[in-house]
Amino acid sequence: QTAIREMTLSLDVAQVARSEQPYVRLRETATRLAEVMDGQITDDNGQPLSADAMDLIGSELENLYDKLDERELSAGSVLARRLFS
């Protein structure tokens, strides 16, 4: 058996429609993993992320979804998938 010391979860925004609530699901998954593995959620520099910081990330992602919609490149659409793949 080997200990897992680090796990990275990422979200490819352009590939997943907003209606799927990808960030909410990613956050729930990360939170649950941290709980059951006795770990913590951190940023790329290893600094712990607070609930407020994660809320801010969610808000910023919503703004990104809005911008993609405004440009007719809605996340998860065929055009967005083709352009950002």
Side-chain angles (χ1 to χ4, degrees), residues 10 19 27 49:
S10 62
S19 61
R27 184 174 173 173
L49 285 175

Side-chain angles (χ1 to χ4, degrees), residues 18 59 61-71:
R18 180 190 301 213
S59 295
L61 282 173
E62 286 299 316
N63 289 335
L64 177 58
Y65 276 112
D66 290 341
K67 288 179 183 178
L68 288 169
D69 289 344
E70 289 170 10
R71 291 172 176 80

Side-chain angles (χ1 to χ4, degrees), residues 3 10 20 24 40 43 45 58-61 64 74 78:
S10 62
E20 305 257 344
V24 171
Q40 61 182 336
D43 64 14
N45 297 316
S59 295
E60 291 172 355
L61 282 173
L64 177 58
S74 296
V78 172

Side-chain angles (χ1 to χ4, degrees), residues 15-79:
Q15 302 298 318
V16 185
R18 180 190 301 213
S19 61
E20 305 257 344
Q21 297 185 315
Y23 181 70
V24 171
R25 293 169 58 191
L26 180 133
R27 184 174 173 173
E28 289 171 352
T29 300
T31 301
R32 183 71 181 130
L33 281 169
E35 288 171 0
V36 300
M37 297 178 78
D38 194 28
Q40 61 182 336
I41 301 171
T42 64
D43 64 14
D44 292 341
N45 297 316
Q47 298 300 311
L49 285 175
S50 67
D52 289 341
M54 294 183 72
D55 290 344
L56 180 59
I57 292 168
S59 295
E60 291 172 355
L61 282 173
E62 286 299 316
N63 289 335
L64 177 58
Y65 276 112
D66 290 341
K67 288 179 183 178
L68 288 169
D69 289 344
E70 289 170 10
R71 291 172 176 80
E72 298 181 8
L73 291 171
S74 296
S77 69
V78 172
L79 185 57

